[in-house]
Amino acid sequence: MTTADRRKERLDRGIKVRSDGIYALLSWRELGYLVLPRLVLIAGLLLLPLVVPSLYWQRVISNVCLYALLALSFDFLAHYVGLVSLGGALFIGTGAYIAALLNKNLGLPLILTIPMASVSGAAICTLLLLPCLPLRGVYFAIVSLMYPLAMMRIIEALNIFGGTDGIMGIDSFPNHWVEQYFVLIMVLLFLFGLRRLVNLDIGLVFRGVKDNDQAVRASGMSITYYKAVAVFIASAIGCLAGACLTHIYMFSGISLFALDFSILPIAATVIGGGGTLAGPVIGCFILVPISELLREFGTLRIAFYAIILMAFIVFKSEGLMVYGQRKYHQFERWVKI
Amino acid sequence: MSESPMLHVEEATKVFGGILALNRVTFDVHQGEILGIIGPNGSGKTTLINCITGFVRMTSGKVFFKGRDITGKPAHKIADLGVTRTFQIMRPYYTLPAYKNLVIPLFSPRAKRTGGWRGGGKLGDRDTVGIDILEEIGFERDSFVPYKLASSLPTGYLKRLELARCLALKPEIILCDEVFSGLSMSEIASMVPLIERLQMDGITLIMIEHRLRELFRVASRVMVLNFGEKLLEGRPEEVMADERVKTAYFGSEEVEEVMTYA
Ligand SMILES: Nc1ncnc2c1ncn2[C@@H]1O[C@H](COP(=O)(O)OP(=O)(O)O)[C@@H](O)[C@H]1O
Ligand SMILES: [Mg+2]
């Protein structure tokens, strides 16, 4: 049979659990169908530190989680608010410097510096991005990319916050278990939290801003206000990652404004499937370890990224998560035309 | 008409890069009336609505809502006062089901302030309120239509959804930009009673229409725009009889149609 006289038919599985917010669970089997993917994800993540062999790879898990937080923040802004932000590096750098300064200068412990850096960092990032909120699409992306570059140069030129040397001797996490479980739980918390948020009424407003900002204005709501709220949420997640990073490496410096933090989350989102929130997290679990394996190739890694990205865009532009969801929720079969 | 009019527009002027889209248009709308606005394509009708509702900044002129100067206020502030508008090119949230489209306006400060739909009480579940409004505006409640994605709705329902978005805000006045256009005769026939009911509920309306027959049935006054200028204003039958209107509309099917029915 040639492809000309047959086509793929897709049928939804005959379970009503997906009927938009109304859960009509009829059996344990259906409940299992619904919660299984979530359970696998949660259990898998929580078991990870236990099964990973070396200390080196355990550190990689922490890195993956920090990138996953950035990817969540990117996916939320890009696919639920319509702001394509390349501000990952800005969030990381801001969060890291605030946590470092609070720890080093005021002697505050981790348990205070991380939440404080997340919230105050988010406030700073939101204020910085506020003038750019009316910009759309690629213009917002470009401006958000300029900030980390500018920050780097400002710190360098004014020789503040330790200048090019950075800030060293910051407290680390008590031990690597606390470190890994803290970042893993943060990833799970924000993954499920954001998935919840985008289906709340305020989440619908965010999606409305993306879908049709003029209609939101016509509904008597300020789009700038809602964009600012969304940027605050996203930058808080990014700054949290930055604060964790600074405590993990016991260092904060201008290298934390590096473009990697802006670019890799986007690549992970493309691979994992934009708009799914879980997809970008999965994308990070693929990309970051690959990038570690390729470390000895130095900057040639970028070429590998580019090839992986291109392959995904060309062959599976929907991303792994969307593909997986479709396979999970639908039967497929070939039918004769 | 003891108090100031609902809406008072004074010398509204808009220049788009050298093109005079609106030229010193002045008019009033009073509480509870339906003002029709007609005029050939490109005569500035949509621009007038954009200027009143703050979607476009006027070059010069003033707008007063209940005696209060609202010129130059941002669009969301004007909508917050109860001055709502529909879009000629419908602007639903395509990725959301019809009833979820209404959750967004129901989340607005105005909707929260004005309380539950149909009298008092706290706004309950916004989904339910949304479905109530859709039913009010002609979506069949027990069908699948309110639950369908906006992207799969036909024009008739999208036009209703535009009105529903305004109603969710409990508006004082609705500025309708061609809600009848693109609809079949029978769809229009079912919309007309709806418009009449809105008026009975005390909502003031401005209606831009090309469907003159239906417009003249509901409108108490009609204003004619041509090349951005106000040509004349009067009761429907006066406007119909005017030579200039016939000239401006010369060749237009609608006018011929209306003439034959008149
Ligand atoms: N955003 C805009 N930029 C430039 N010109 C515009 C814009 N909007 C409308 N115009 C022009 O203003 C004039 C009036 O348009 P419009 O108000 O849409 O007319 P109508 O709604 O009566 O058909 C037209 O000549 C149109 O080209
Ligand atoms: Mg128009």
Side-chain angles (χ1 to χ4, degrees):
Chain A
M1 223 189 297
T2 61
T3 45
D5 52 6
R6 61 176 194 165
R7 67 182 172 85
K8 224 178 204 176
E9 187 182 55
R10 295 203 177 109
L11 300 171
D12 279 356
R13 289 186 196 276
I15 293 179
K16 299 227 168 36
V17 286
R18 288 181 299 109
S19 59
D20 193 40
I22 306 157
Y23 291 101
L25 293 175
L26 296 178
S27 69
W28 285 106
R29 208 181 132 253
E30 294 185 3
L31 185 68
Y33 174 83
L34 189 73
V35 300
L36 196 66
R38 274 150 235 220
L39 271 182
V40 168
L41 182 77
I42 296 172
L45 286 189
L46 292 182
L47 285 176
L48 216 50
L50 301 174
V51 298
V52 163
S54 66
L55 224 61
Y56 174 79
W57 284 99
Q58 283 173 345
R59 180 50 55 80
V60 173
I61 295 178
S62 304
N63 282 348
V64 171
C65 289
L66 299 182
Y67 277 111
L69 287 171
L70 286 177
L72 279 173
S73 146
F74 172 81
D75 195 28
F76 167 66
L77 275 190
H79 292 99
Y80 292 96
V81 194
L83 291 171
V84 179
S85 151
L86 293 174
L90 173 70
F91 303 158
I92 285 281
T94 310
Y97 267 102
I98 294 175
L101 291 170
L102 288 174
N103 182 250
K104 195 80 199 242
N105 293 355
L106 301 181
L108 297 179
L110 253 80
I111 198 162
L112 290 178
T113 57
I114 293 179
M116 283 168 75
S118 309
V119 174
S120 57
I124 291 171
C125 294
T126 310
L127 279 178
L128 286 176
L129 290 170
L130 211 54
C132 331
L133 291 183
L135 300 178
R136 287 161 195 245
V138 71
Y139 298 104
F140 182 79
I142 292 169
V143 177
S144 61
L145 188 62
M146 299 319 290
Y147 276 109
L149 300 177
M151 289 293 213
M152 227 189 252
R153 297 292 158 250
I154 289 170
I155 292 175
E156 203 175 18
L158 301 182
N159 201 19
I160 42 172
F161 309 145
T164 44
D165 294 338
I167 305 171
M168 270 171 285
I170 297 158
D171 289 348
S172 69
F173 280 88
N175 59 53
H176 69 93
W177 298 112
V178 176
E179 171 193 316
Q180 278 150 34
Y181 276 104
F182 181 74
V183 288
L184 274 169
I185 287 168
M186 284 300 130
V187 169
L188 287 173
L189 194 76
F190 282 105
L191 168 60
F192 289 104
L194 284 178
R195 281 178 70 111
R196 186 75 200 277
L197 175 74
V198 297
N199 287 310
L200 292 179
D201 289 352
I202 188 170
L204 293 183
V205 177
F206 290 145
R207 290 155 72 177
V209 170
K210 185 200 176 200
D211 225 8
N212 197 333
D213 55 356
Q214 296 304 305
V216 176
R217 293 173 77 198
S219 303
M221 281 178 285
S222 158
I223 43 181
T224 310
Y225 172 76
Y226 283 97
K227 281 180 180 174
V229 172
V231 166
F232 183 85
I233 295 171
S235 47
I237 298 173
C239 290
L240 170 77
C244 293
L245 186 76
T246 205
H247 285 296
I248 290 173
Y249 289 96
M250 299 181 276
F251 165 78
S252 179
I254 53 173
S255 59
L256 297 186
F257 287 109
L259 285 188
D260 294 33
F261 295 116
S262 294
I263 305 298
L264 197 133
I266 301 177
T269 304
V270 170
I271 289 174
T276 59
L277 295 173
V281 172
I282 293 169
C284 286
F285 273 89
I286 297 171
L287 264 191
V288 179
I290 290 182
S291 134
E292 285 300 326
L293 288 173
L294 298 176
R295 189 167 279 277
E296 51 194 286
F297 292 97
T299 42
L300 197 62
R301 284 188 293 173
I302 303 292
F304 285 99
Y305 281 159
I307 292 169
I308 295 176
L309 255 188
M310 252 151 51
F312 262 92
I313 289 172
V314 173
F315 297 112
K316 273 275 165 283
S317 59
E318 57 187 1
L320 289 175
M321 188 69 189
V322 181
Y323 177 79
Q325 274 175 335
R326 205 182 60 232
K327 290 287 176 196
Y328 191 69
H329 288 310
Q330 294 178 325
F331 294 110
E332 279 181 336
R333 64 180 182 205
W334 290 100
V335 289
K336 255 184 160 171
I337 302 171
Chain B
M1 312 280 162
S2 55
E3 291 176 34
S4 51
M6 185 70 136
L7 201 66
H8 172 63
V9 177
E10 203 173 286
E11 309 247 298
T13 304
K14 178 70 201 178
V15 184
F16 280 119
I19 300 171
L20 197 55
L22 272 183
N23 188 8
R24 314 212 313 172
V25 176
T26 300
F27 69 98
D28 285 343
V29 192
H30 297 281
Q31 161 72 41
E33 89 172 325
I34 297 184
L35 172 71
I37 300 182
I38 63 171
N41 277 326
S43 56
K45 306 181 296 298
T46 301
T47 304
L48 182 59
I49 286 200
N50 283 339
C51 287
I52 294 171
T53 52
F55 279 81
V56 156
R57 193 172 284 274
M58 272 195 287
T59 309
S60 67
K62 291 223 166 286
V63 183
F64 296 87
F65 172 63
K66 289 180 162 177
R68 186 173 154 189
D69 190 351
I70 58 166
T71 321
K73 276 182 181 282
H76 69 272
K77 289 264 173 62
I78 293 177
D80 192 65
L81 293 171
V83 182
T84 60
R85 55 97 44 100
T86 70
F87 291 98
Q88 180 175 354
I89 300 155
M90 294 83 79
R91 290 179 181 273
Y93 307 106
Y94 283 108
T95 57
L96 296 177
Y99 77 103
K100 288 282 188 192
N101 266 262
L102 294 183
V103 169
I104 295 172
L106 285 170
F107 194 79
S108 66
R110 181 176 174 86
K112 284 175 184 166
R113 233 179 17 247
T114 49
W117 185 246
R118 228 180 332 218
K122 181 173 153 287
L123 240 176
D125 186 2
R126 293 195 180 85
D127 292 357
T128 325
V129 182
I131 292 174
D132 285 347
I133 298 174
L134 286 181
E135 187 185 20
E136 196 108 338
I137 206 81
F139 279 60
E140 298 81 1
R141 186 186 195 93
D142 296 320
S143 73
F144 284 115
V145 190
Y147 303 95
K148 276 177 124 171
L149 281 186
S151 55
S152 63
L153 290 176
T155 311
Y157 283 109
L158 289 179
K159 293 279 184 187
R160 285 167 198 265
L161 200 51
E162 284 287 318
L163 276 175
R165 187 188 57 232
C166 297
L167 292 183
L169 296 180
K170 290 217 164 181
E172 302 253 7
I173 179 167
I174 307 180
L175 287 74
C176 306
D177 200 348
E178 304 197 11
V179 282
F180 292 161
S181 60
L183 302 190
S184 69
M185 280 314 206
S186 65
E187 278 174 322
I188 294 174
S190 70
M191 284 281 263
V192 170
L194 204 77
I195 300 289
E196 286 169 338
R197 212 179 56 237
L198 293 182
Q199 187 184 24
M200 266 161 41
D201 288 344
I203 298 173
T204 311
L205 288 144
I206 294 182
M207 296 188 69
I208 293 181
E209 276 312 328
H210 284 302
R211 294 296 192 164
L212 300 194
R213 190 152 57 100
E214 288 79 7
L215 179 67
F216 287 1
R217 205 180 117 188
V218 293
S220 43
R221 253 172 345 118
V222 174
M223 175 167 90
V224 187
L225 286 184
N226 197 21
F227 293 113
E229 287 186 40
K230 179 164 145 184
L231 210 56
L232 77 153
E233 181 187 334
R235 280 179 293 120
E237 54 276 19
E238 292 168 0
V239 170
M240 257 348 290
D242 193 278
E243 272 311 315
R244 288 171 299 176
V245 175
K246 291 181 193 167
T247 329
Y249 264 82
F250 186 72
S252 164
E253 288 169 39
E254 281 87 1
V255 164
E256 286 171 6
E257 194 183 284
V258 175
M259 299 310 265
T260 52
Y261 281 97

